[in-house]
């Protein structure tokens, strides 16, 4: 599973250099598909419950599950989530990051604040992970932090983190809101994702009637997401999808 996670993190490190104004999300898909194969892995999203591509690419008001397409062109000032999952040696590794198209300086202050705050929410949620804690502590940490920023951000409820290993999605469900001391006990050997989706405005989501996959903010405002796969160890946790280059 570490190997699958390393493939995922390596690809995300490389995607940084690929994203530029004018690129289509289809080109990002082509890149991710090729690099996955070159590293002896299979892209988990492809044909998963009918998903037609090898990676999810979700710009601006797309919360998650954006389908790469030649007609979706990224422009300067956009923010975009790239969500890579690789399958190798019978195990999955799942991680996603945000990218600033044309560089951070090209993006609005609103976009930059959202991206940074969402990343911080994930990182402090990961710090909750150790034996003896409960799954509810993770969501509670995110919820307390987001509330504390007083930015009025909405936390998406309909899509969650998840256990993974031999299956792409398995128990436990990792909700990004919650109450401390509730939910399953966190035990050594567990592997799951934490992947908060945070909206500038309302937490409400809208599923595309056109493709049945793309999830957008109901109010059309920006959304951001960061995701890691974590392993619970005897003493705490290991971030299995940590960037080999130290980027995330
Ligand atoms: N990688 C996503 C997650 O974090 C799942 C994508 S499912 C797909 O759970 F079918 F859209 F690829
Ligand atoms: Co993912
Ligand atoms: Co996931």
């Amino acid at each position: 599973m570490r190997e699958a996670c390393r493939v995922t993190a390596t690809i995300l490190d490389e995607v940084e250099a690929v994203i530029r104004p004018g690129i289509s999300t289809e080109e990002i898909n082509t890149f991710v598909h090729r690099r996955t194969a070159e590293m002896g892995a299979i892209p988990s999203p492809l044909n998963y419950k009918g998903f037609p591509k090898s990676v999810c690419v979700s710009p601006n008001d797309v919360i998650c599950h954006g389908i790469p397409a030649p007609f979706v062109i990224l422009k300067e000032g956009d923010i975009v989530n790239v969500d890579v999952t690789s399958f190798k040696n019978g195990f999955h590794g799942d991680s996603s990051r945000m990218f600033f198209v044309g560089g951070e300086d090209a993006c609005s202050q609103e976009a930059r604040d959202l991206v940074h705050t969402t990343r911080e929410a994930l990182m402090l949620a990961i710090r909750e992970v150790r034996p003896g804690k409960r799954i509810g502590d993770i969501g509670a940490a995110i919820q307390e932090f987001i509330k504390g920023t007083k930015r009025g951000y909405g936390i998406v409820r309909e899509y969650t983190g998840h256990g993974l290993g031999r299956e792409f999605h398995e128990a436990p469900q990792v909700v990004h809101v919650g109450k401390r001391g509730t939910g399953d006990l966190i035990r050594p050997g567990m592997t799951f994702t934490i992947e908060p989706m945070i909206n500038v405005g309302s937490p409400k989501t809208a599923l595309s009637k056109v493709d049945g996959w793309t999830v957008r903010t109901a109010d059309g405002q920006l959304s951001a997401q960061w995701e890691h796969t974590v392993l619970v160890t005897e003493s705490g946790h290991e971030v299995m999808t940590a960037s080999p280059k130290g980027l995330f």
Side-chain angles (χ1 to χ4, degrees):
M1 189 164 168
R2 279 197 186 95
E3 264 192 64
C5 287
R6 184 162 44 78
V7 169
T8 292
T10 300
I11 293 169
L12 283 167
D13 278 358
E14 294 174 0
V15 157
E16 174 91 60
V18 171
I19 293 179
R20 53 183 159 71
I23 195 175
S24 71
T25 58
E26 176 77 20
E27 288 171 87
I28 296 169
N29 180 76
T30 302
F31 176 80
V32 170
H33 188 94
R34 176 172 64 77
R35 290 296 293 129
T36 304
E38 284 171 359
M39 288 187 270
I42 290 168
S44 308
L46 188 57
N47 300 319
Y48 176 76
K49 295 185 175 170
F51 191 79
K53 296 286 178 173
S54 298
V55 60
C56 297
V57 183
S58 305
N60 301 322
D61 65 322
V62 179
I63 295 171
C64 62
H65 303 167
I67 302 176
F71 55 83
V72 182
I73 311 288
L74 299 179
K75 61 180 192 308
E76 190 167 295
D78 284 349
I79 56 170
V80 64
N81 176 275
V82 178
D83 190 342
V84 175
T85 313
S86 310
F87 183 73
K88 191 169 183 184
N89 303 330
F91 292 92
H92 297 271
D94 187 6
S95 182
S96 83
R97 303 183 197 169
M98 296 299 297
F99 299 92
F100 296 105
V101 181
E104 183 163 353
D105 293 345
C107 297
S108 68
Q109 194 60 50
E110 180 182 76
R112 294 161 66 167
D113 288 344
L114 176 69
V115 167
H116 293 140
T117 302
T118 304
R119 178 171 166 151
E120 202 175 337
L122 169 61
M123 289 319 195
L124 59 87
I126 291 174
R127 289 202 285 274
E128 296 286 326
V129 178
R130 58 178 171 271
K133 288 272 203 166
R134 291 188 179 268
I135 291 291
D137 296 333
I138 295 169
I142 294 169
Q143 194 170 16
E144 288 161 9
F145 170 69
I146 292 298
K147 189 165 184 227
T149 65
K150 299 203 163 95
R151 293 182 184 276
Y153 289 164
I155 305 172
V156 172
R157 315 289 165 114
E158 291 92 334
Y159 304 89
T160 67
H162 50 92
L164 81 170
R166 291 196 182 276
E167 302 293 332
F168 194 168
H169 294 104
E170 45 185 63
Q173 180 167 269
V174 181
V175 184
H176 301 114
V177 296
K179 248 187 94 167
R180 288 189 180 274
T182 66
D184 289 353
L185 204 52
I186 294 176
R187 297 162 64 194
M190 289 174 87
T191 51
F192 53 81
T193 73
I194 308 175
E195 49 183 297
M197 284 146 272
I198 308 292
N199 300 348
V200 159
S202 162
K204 276 199 193 148
T205 66
L207 179 63
S208 167
K209 291 184 180 107
V210 178
D211 63 35
W213 278 103
T214 307
V215 180
R216 290 188 176 81
T217 57
D219 64 9
Q221 296 197 76
L222 296 176
S223 183
Q225 176 178 34
W226 293 82
E227 173 178 28
H228 266 313
T229 295
V230 297
L231 163 70
V232 183
T233 62
E234 295 292 339
S235 60
H237 60 262
E238 175 183 323
V239 179
M240 299 185 86
T241 45
S243 161
K245 284 191 185 161
L247 301 175
F248 174 43

